[in-house]
Amino acid sequence: MTRKNKSVDPAAVRGRNRAARWLTELFQPPVVVTLQLLISSVIEPGFPGTLGYGALAALFVCVLPLFVLLALVRLGKVSDHHISNRHQRAPVLIMALASVIAGLVVLETVGSPRSVVVMVLALVAGIVVLAAVSPFWKISGHAALEKPAAQKQP
């Protein structure tokens, strides 16, 4: 039985890697969650006027934590905006949780629709799970997975 020599096209590999990076950025949690928060207000009476509540929630849940995270990356306190180093995740997740809880207080104060509040509460549960698991296991907030180092190509 003869084995065919499969050559790898470097341009094709670069193209796939570029596409993977774009998809990773496009579907990172702050982007997806912002869309979910905006959509959560669609079922409420008074839509599209309820979109502002979803946007307010997104400010506390996504925008503010992302700005703080990017500042931490710039200061060299965190390796990258995906927080690849799992030992750096707990403090960032605690900061995000504090922002989300502050957002919940604001949303309750302004009489936000229940669908938005329920969505934020579900996100609180997700953040708590990520924070609890991260010190022991490199869990990802993304749908993407990283190959183990032994399987990565040079």
Side-chain angles (χ1 to χ4, degrees), residues 33-49:
V33 170
T34 295
L35 292 174
Q36 290 174 325
L37 287 165
L38 291 172
I39 291 170
S40 70
S41 66
V42 170
I43 64 168
E44 296 293 337
F47 177 79

Side-chain angles (χ1 to χ4, degrees), residues 78-151:
V78 177
S79 58
D80 57 271
H81 71 286
H82 294 295
I83 320 171
S84 299
N85 181 341
R86 70 181 165 139
H87 300 292
Q88 297 171 342
R89 290 182 177 184
V92 173
L93 287 169
I94 290 168
M95 172 275 302
L97 187 58
S99 180
V100 172
I101 290 170
L104 272 172
V105 170
V106 171
L107 289 169
E108 282 295 320
T109 302
V110 298
S112 179
R114 288 291 128 214
S115 61
V116 175
V117 173
V118 167
M119 179 62 135
V120 175
L121 288 171
L123 293 166
V124 167
I127 293 169
V128 168
V129 169
L130 282 171
V133 173
S134 284
F136 309 104
W137 187 23
K138 189 175 179 181
I139 190 170
S140 175
H142 292 89
L145 297 175
E146 183 179 330
K147 289 183 186 178
Q151 292 180 0

